[in-house]
Amino acid sequence: QVQVVESGGGLAQPGGSLRLSCTASGSMFSTVDMGWYRQTPGKQRELAASITSGGRTKYADSVRGRFAISRNSAQSTVYLQMDSLKPEDTAVYYCRATSNVMDFWGNGTLVTVSS
C-alpha cells in the first residue's frame, strides 16, 4: 500500500503564487510517474501537470508557462509551483502516483484564487 499525501493548498490572490507538495510513501518513489490533477464541482478531473520517473514533464495548455512540476527522489516528494494564478485555477488538486503495477491517489488539497 502506498500513501500519497498532498499539502500546500490555500488562498491566493490573482497573480500570486502557491507551491503544492506531494509525498508518496515507500521505497519505489524513484520508479513511479507522478501527476497533479485538478477538479472543480461538476467537472471531470483533469491533468494539470505530470512528471515521469525519468523527469519528462507534461503540462495542460491552460497552465503551461505558469506552473512547474518537479520531483525530489531523496525526499519522495513532487512539487507543483504555481505562479501567475488565475481565478480559474481554483480547484481541488490531487496527486497521483502510477506505474505499470500501481495507481494511487491522494485526498486532494484545495486551492482558491480570489481577491
Side-chain angles (χ1 to χ4, degrees):
Q1 185 75 9
V2 173
Q3 284 193 316
V4 178
V5 180
E6 305 97 337
S7 61
L11 176 65
Q13 291 191 336
S17 298
L18 282 174
R19 189 176 81 156
L20 305 182
S21 300
C22 169
T23 300
S25 65
S27 59
M28 78 313 150
F29 180 83
S30 62
T31 66
V32 303
D33 299 337
M34 301 294 295
W36 284 99
Y37 291 73
R38 63 186 187 180
Q39 187 171 25
T40 54
K43 292 190 176 181
Q44 285 192 328
R45 194 172 296 185
E46 63 176 12
L47 175 71
S50 64
I51 185 167
T52 67
S53 58
R56 188 170 67 249
T57 58
K58 179 179 178 180
Y59 296 93
D61 289 343
S62 58
V63 309
R64 187 176 292 111
R66 300 187 298 117
F67 291 10
I69 189 170
S70 61
R71 63 191 294 158
N72 183 325
S73 292
Q75 296 180 342
S76 297
T77 302
V78 63
Y79 302 97
L80 186 67
Q81 178 66 42
M82 304 186 295
D83 298 321
S84 302
L85 283 163
K86 303 176 180 180
E88 51 264 42
D89 295 319
T90 296
V92 177
Y93 284 72
Y94 296 89
C95 183
R96 183 184 188 189
T98 59
S99 73
N100 57 351
V101 295
M102 57 173 276
D103 188 352
F104 291 96
W105 291 85
N107 291 327
T109 184
L110 177 63
V111 170
T112 302
V113 183
S114 175
S115 56

